[in-house]
Amino acid sequence: MTLHISYLDTLPVEILHHILDNLNTQTILFSFRFACKRFHSIGNSYNYYDFNFESISKTKFLHMCCIIPFEQVVSLTLSDKDDTHGQIDLFNSLFNINQFIRLRSLTLIQIETHDLKVFLNYAIHSSLLFLSIDCQTISIDEENTTLNLISSTIEHCSLQTLYLSMRPKDMKELQWPLNLTISYLRIKNSITCDQFYTILRHSPCLRTIVLKDFNVDDTSEKNLPCFNHAPFLQIKSLTCEDGRIQINKLEQCLTLTPALVYLKLIGCGNLFCSTFDGYRWEQLIKNKLPLLEKFDFLISAFTHVNFDTSTVEEMISSFRTSFWLDEKHCLVTCDYIICSHKLLLYSLPFCTEHFVYYNTDTRKVSAKNFTVTNNYSMMMDNVKELHLHLTEFINVDEIEKVYHLLFRNVTELTIATNGGWPDDAFRFFSTIIDLSHIEKLSLSIRFIDEYTPIIVHSINQLLKCSPNIYVLSLHDFWSADNFASTVETVYSMITPNIKHLNIRVQNSDEVKFIIENFENLKSITFEYAQDLILNRGKFIEVFSDMKRHISRWESHYAFHVWLDKA
């Protein structure tokens, strides 16, 4: 170790600063700076600190706040999510945000209105290049003031990238101002065609826009003047995700953006509105988007009609024209999942981070407009969040047919069952998923006595082979009479790397047991058990008697606890 430090100590400061650019802030503050006197001095003079306080323990948060070189911070992330609720208000009590004079990136997650106003007043006069606002609770009495502040921030700040996530009502009432700097805009809401037009008209530098969808319920926009407006040629990329895909509404809006080179659509389609028709999409692209280079899509629909092989082949045949194969080089797959009656039409590589997979997905009717290529193992590399449905029986022969990992980059895994648990569950997991990347594990399972031993064994194997999992959520359906044994079962499964736990509880004794025995946890969410009447007073008494210093708050479905170390 001494030899390594001696070698690094000979490097110029500029190179060491480049190394620090690739280290997280905690490593710089608590490891690098304490390696030697020179590194301590270099760490103190480093001007590009990125403070990300998402999913941090309260102890570590307070410790870092004591040594924040606020004039040297360029990026700041604050979060009021369930695992760190109250963090933003605490931060504001410790700091004046105006002291962060070099801040270029600011991310505010689930922020309350009164805190948001503080940061917006700062942002208006700042040099921020990146701003992300997630605010779902703008209070009625402050609605106009807050929305006006957001508009002023967009108008006066030097932003290049803006993320907005607000209630649909607030988004609809937001007055979009003139902005001469934003090139990337992400809105986690549906917007009307009129709003889309206003944003384009007021954003001459905008190149990329990502949104949920165009409001298909807004029937008042059929003959809007905006559709007769000269097109906005600055827009090069458009993404609509997690909404509804209505091709007629989309076609109207695309008349405003004929210079698109990239289009991505993810959402629910309609079998009776041409959203699964390759010929219809081909004509739309030829007529409205002559410069389009790449079209990624995932369109889904549930149907009561059973699709056989000939029907699915007929559907995919509309994507076997020279337009799709030779001009756009677009690989398309159509799957009909038999057990769920779900129809999927998607381009490859898979273009969304979220995917739902059934171990019975082998029982499907599938057709492609291509033959399997050597790169087929890479087709699901964009999937980061995998929702895996298990049935009691897994076809071992089908497992043997899997020659490569289907999901190589999953970071969030949800496992759900309908009651039973297959004997070969872990073998199935490890065959289709690269377990080394998983960070968050959610279980929607029943700890039925018959299956508990095999469930515990499988989950233990999974956690042992997934060393990066730090969040464990148990979204279960167990009944009231087996709570005690279930909490002990969870205790037998949990590993030291688990820092955040979400669990359903029945009474205050279970709360006390978990807080006192799960020493490595940074935060806990205690969900209320279904059909149980809880004495909230006893919960609060338990918290007040705890030796561990905690911050607690209550939502309509749970108690949340942000913990210090024991």
Side-chain angles (χ1 to χ4, degrees), residues 7-25:
Y7 173 74
L8 287 173
D9 195 25
T10 64
L11 295 176
V13 173
E14 293 79 11
I15 292 180
L16 288 172
H17 278 181
H18 281 299
I19 293 174
L20 296 185
D21 289 341
N22 293 282
L23 299 178
N24 65 58
T25 297

Side-chain angles (χ1 to χ4, degrees), residues 328-428:
K328 298 302 177 185
H329 306 287
C330 188
L331 307 182
V332 183
T333 298
C334 183
D335 292 334
Y336 172 66
I337 311 301
I338 296 174
C339 65
S340 58
H341 300 283
K342 186 175 184 179
L343 190 67
L344 295 172
L345 181 71
Y346 53 94
S347 59
L348 291 173
F350 204 68
C351 64
T352 180
E353 293 188 352
H354 180 78
F355 188 69
V356 179
Y357 187 84
Y358 293 79
N359 71 287
T360 54
D361 274 5
T362 51
R363 295 182 57 235
K364 67 182 179 183
V365 180
S366 184
K368 303 175 177 63
N369 72 343
F370 64 97
T371 55
V372 175
T373 67
N374 292 332
N375 294 326
Y376 195 70
S377 61
M378 302 168 56
M379 294 303 179
M380 290 294 182
D381 280 1
N382 290 325
V383 176
K384 301 293 191 297
E385 302 173 19
L386 179 63
H387 197 117
L388 186 62
H389 285 267
L390 295 181
T391 57
E392 186 175 350
F393 300 103
I394 290 179
N395 190 328
V396 178
D397 293 335
E398 294 296 337
I399 296 178
E400 297 292 342
K401 294 179 182 178
V402 178
Y403 298 108
H404 56 79
L405 292 168
L406 296 178
F407 305 100
R408 307 192 301 180
N409 296 315
V410 171
T411 58
E412 299 185 28
L413 174 63
T414 297
I415 301 173
T417 69
N418 58 0
W421 186 269
D423 292 337
D424 293 297
F426 176 74
R427 184 181 175 190
F428 178 64

Side-chain angles (χ1 to χ4, degrees), residues 220-471:
S220 63
E221 298 189 327
K222 292 183 178 179
N223 299 303
L224 282 176
C226 66
F227 295 125
N228 298 318
H229 190 279
F232 299 94
L233 302 179
Q234 77 271 25
I235 306 299
K236 303 301 180 183
S237 174
L238 172 64
T239 296
C240 297
E241 55 186 11
D242 301 325
R244 288 179 287 175
I245 300 174
Q246 185 166 308
I247 195 166
N248 293 332
K249 175 74 73 170
L250 183 66
E251 187 171 23
Q252 282 183 309
C253 295
L254 291 178
T255 61
L256 300 173
T257 58
L260 284 182
V261 296
Y262 179 70
L263 176 64
K264 179 161 77 171
L265 302 174
I266 301 171
C268 300
N270 190 316
L271 286 170
F272 305 103
C273 296
S274 303
T275 48
F276 288 83
D277 185 353
Y279 299 122
R280 181 72 173 87
W281 286 112
E282 180 177 337
Q283 291 304 311
L284 183 151
I285 293 171
K286 286 180 176 178
N287 295 333
K288 303 294 183 181
L289 305 173
L291 303 180
L292 193 70
E293 296 176 2
K294 188 170 178 57
F295 179 32
D296 289 331
F297 56 90
L298 167 62
I299 306 172
S300 62
F302 288 96
T303 174
H304 297 294
V305 179
N306 291 322
F307 282 69
D308 57 19
T309 302
S310 61
T311 307
V312 175
E313 282 287 346
E314 181 180 356
M315 187 171 292
I316 203 68
S317 65
S318 62
F319 291 92
R320 288 179 175 144
T321 65
S322 60
F323 173 82
W324 295 107
L325 297 175
D326 303 324
E327 186 176 339
K328 298 302 177 185
H329 306 287
C330 188
L331 307 182
V332 183
T333 298
C334 183
D335 292 334
Y336 172 66
I337 311 301
I338 296 174
C339 65
S340 58
H341 300 283
K342 186 175 184 179
L343 190 67
L344 295 172
L345 181 71
Y346 53 94
S347 59
L348 291 173
F350 204 68
C351 64
T352 180
E353 293 188 352
H354 180 78
F355 188 69
V356 179
Y357 187 84
Y358 293 79
N359 71 287
T360 54
D361 274 5
T362 51
R363 295 182 57 235
K364 67 182 179 183
V365 180
S366 184
K368 303 175 177 63
N369 72 343
F370 64 97
T371 55
V372 175
T373 67
N374 292 332
N375 294 326
Y376 195 70
S377 61
M378 302 168 56
M379 294 303 179
M380 290 294 182
D381 280 1
N382 290 325
V383 176
K384 301 293 191 297
E385 302 173 19
L386 179 63
H387 197 117
L388 186 62
H389 285 267
L390 295 181
T391 57
E392 186 175 350
F393 300 103
I394 290 179
N395 190 328
V396 178
D397 293 335
E398 294 296 337
I399 296 178
E400 297 292 342
K401 294 179 182 178
V402 178
Y403 298 108
H404 56 79
L405 292 168
L406 296 178
F407 305 100
R408 307 192 301 180
N409 296 315
V410 171
T411 58
E412 299 185 28
L413 174 63
T414 297
I415 301 173
T417 69
N418 58 0
W421 186 269
D423 292 337
D424 293 297
F426 176 74
R427 184 181 175 190
F428 178 64
F429 303 151
S430 58
T431 299
I432 68 170
I433 307 169
D434 184 343
L435 302 177
S436 65
H437 297 295
I438 301 175
E439 298 176 352
K440 300 180 180 181
L441 175 64
S442 298
L443 304 176
S444 288
I445 58 179
R446 298 183 183 183
F447 284 84
I448 301 172
D449 290 343
E450 178 184 355
Y451 298 104
T452 295
I454 185 63
I455 292 174
V456 172
H457 179 68
S458 297
I459 300 304
N460 278 334
Q461 285 182 294
L462 177 58
L463 291 173
K464 183 177 181 180
C465 295
S466 308
N468 292 313
I469 293 179
Y470 68 95
V471 178

Side-chain angles (χ1 to χ4, degrees), residues 128-152:
L128 286 176
L129 302 177
F130 176 97
L131 177 61
S132 177
I133 299 173
D134 173 9
C135 183
Q136 305 297 326
T137 57
I138 296 179
S139 56
I140 297 176
D141 56 334
E142 297 183 279
E143 185 174 334
N144 290 335
T145 302
T146 304
L147 292 177
N148 287 337
L149 277 173
I150 294 175
S151 293
S152 295

Side-chain angles (χ1 to χ4, degrees), residues 464-483:
K464 183 177 181 180
C465 295
S466 308
N468 292 313
I469 293 179
Y470 68 95
V471 178
L472 176 62
S473 299
L474 298 171
H475 304 290
D476 44 66
F477 303 96
W478 52 50
S479 57
D481 58 359
N482 63 0
F483 266 70

